[in-house]
């Protein structure tokens, strides 16, 4: 159970103890955290602002002294070094996510995973340092290891990559704008605003990859930052994350 004491205290104090909180969060959290932030502020009187970007970008900003109170990353690889360096004070997984392959809704070239290797296809993925980009490459390696589509499947797919983006929302946007035949994103990136523009391509479960999202407070952050983390981990916060398609942290 998350420690709800900071949140309870702030709720009791109300707007008299209102504070400003800056949350750095992975791009895939944009919709869910925007909703969470509004609800948290309404309950506490705080004013929460967000910086959404690729987790690797946010990590670099924190390492270079950017002011943040909370960091929510799309993987541990961009989070744990900050904990080891003393810049983050805690690490708790608050959600999980899975990959999805998308294609334009009117596109007909990609109908199954194997089609990603069709010569001349235009594919967009995230850079390898972006959590979803790392998972995309792990997925392709899993396909190679199975031999289902040939041992060189990943090499053939990567030859079709025309752009590697700095965050997952940029990847999804390329498909939405019709600039790519297919892309690999998170399932949560297929938002209501995107659903009409894209079609999901089946990604076999045995090849899919799971992302674990950690959250923690930045060194020097006040009690309001702890309260925000507790709210994300609370039953209400978790329900909001489920509404946006995130999986439970366990």
């Amino acid at each position: 159970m998350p420690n709800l004491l900071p949140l309870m205290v702030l709720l009791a104090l109300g707007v008299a103890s209102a504070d400003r909180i800056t949350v750095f969060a992975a791009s895939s959290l944009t919709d869910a955290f925007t909703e969470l932030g509004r609800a948290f502020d309404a309950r506490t009187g705080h004013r929460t602002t967000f910086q959404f970007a690729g987790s690797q970008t946010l990590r670099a900003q924190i390492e270079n002294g950017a002011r943040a109170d909370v960091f929510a990353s799309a993987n541990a690889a961009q989070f744990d070094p900050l904990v080891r360096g003393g810049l983050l004070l805690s690490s708790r997984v608050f959600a999980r996510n899975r990959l999805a392959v998308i294609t334009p809704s009117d596109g007909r070239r990609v109908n199954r995973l194997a089609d990603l290797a069709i010569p001349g296809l235009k594919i967009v993925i995230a850079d390898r340092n972006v959590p979803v980009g790392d998972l995309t490459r792990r997925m392709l390696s899993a396909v190679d290891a199975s031999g289902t589509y040939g041992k060189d499947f990943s090499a053939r797919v990567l030859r079709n990559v025309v752009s590697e983006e700095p965050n997952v929302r940029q990847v999804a946007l390329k498909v939405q704008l019709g600039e790519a035949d297919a892309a690999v994103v998170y399932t949560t990136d297929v938002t209501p605003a995107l659903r009409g523009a894209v079609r999901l391509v089946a990604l076999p479960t045995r090849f899919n990859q799971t992302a674990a999202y950690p959250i923690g407070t930045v060194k020097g952050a006040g009690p309001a930052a702890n309260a925000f983390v507790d709210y994300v981990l609370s039953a209400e916060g978790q329900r909001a994350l489920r509404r946006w398609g995130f999986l439970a942290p366990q």
Side-chain angles (χ1 to χ4, degrees):
M1 286 289 294
N3 179 11
L4 295 179
L5 183 58
L7 177 58
M8 293 172 64
V9 170
L10 287 168
L11 290 175
L13 292 176
V15 294
S17 61
D19 201 358
R20 292 179 179 270
I21 309 167
T22 301
V23 177
F24 280 19
S27 292
S28 52
L29 293 164
T30 300
D31 300 287
F33 265 33
T34 298
E35 178 183 324
L36 279 167
R38 284 196 297 263
F40 176 74
D41 289 353
R43 288 179 172 275
T44 64
H46 292 309
R47 299 177 68 178
T48 306
T49 58
F50 294 95
Q51 175 71 29
F52 295 109
S55 297
Q56 79 291 346
T57 299
L58 299 172
R59 169 193 169 183
Q61 290 175 352
I62 293 172
E63 288 175 328
N64 286 293
R67 185 194 175 281
D69 299 298
V70 175
F71 180 35
S73 174
N75 70 3
Q78 302 299 335
F79 190 95
D80 290 351
L82 298 178
V83 176
R84 292 193 295 269
L87 294 174
L88 289 177
L89 303 183
S90 61
S91 175
R92 288 184 278 180
V93 173
F94 67 94
R96 295 182 188 273
N97 214 343
R98 299 279 275 171
L99 295 178
V101 177
I102 59 173
T103 189
S105 58
D106 58 354
R108 293 293 176 265
R109 299 192 68 188
V110 180
N111 297 292
R112 60 193 186 106
L113 183 62
D115 292 342
L116 294 180
I118 295 173
L121 212 65
K122 291 190 293 184
I123 298 174
V124 176
I125 61 175
D127 183 83
R128 66 174 61 252
N129 293 320
V130 182
V132 71
D134 175 59
L135 288 184
T136 297
R137 290 162 176 82
R138 290 175 185 268
M139 179 268 288
L140 294 173
S141 294
V143 178
D144 279 354
S146 74
T148 303
Y149 307 129
K151 295 293 184 181
D152 64 339
F153 177 74
S154 63
R156 288 183 285 128
V157 171
L158 292 174
R159 278 198 292 270
N160 286 335
V161 172
V162 296
S163 178
E164 296 186 20
E165 299 298 318
N167 65 69
V168 71
R169 289 304 171 95
Q170 288 296 110
V171 175
L173 181 62
K174 292 285 186 179
V175 176
Q176 185 177 16
L177 294 176
E179 297 177 7
D181 296 308
V184 183
V185 296
Y186 290 121
T187 59
T188 56
D189 293 303
V190 187
T191 62
L194 188 66
R195 282 178 195 144
V198 304
R199 177 170 52 85
L200 283 169
V201 177
L203 177 54
T205 302
R206 67 186 184 279
F207 301 140
N208 209 327
Q209 306 290 309
T210 301
Y213 286 57
I215 191 170
T217 56
V218 179
K219 182 180 180 181
N226 291 314
F228 179 83
V229 172
D230 286 333
Y231 183 69
V232 171
L233 290 160
S234 72
E236 185 172 335
Q238 291 293 299
R239 282 195 295 271
L241 287 164
R242 297 296 88 73
R243 284 196 295 272
W244 287 101
F246 288 91
L247 303 174
Q250 293 79 14

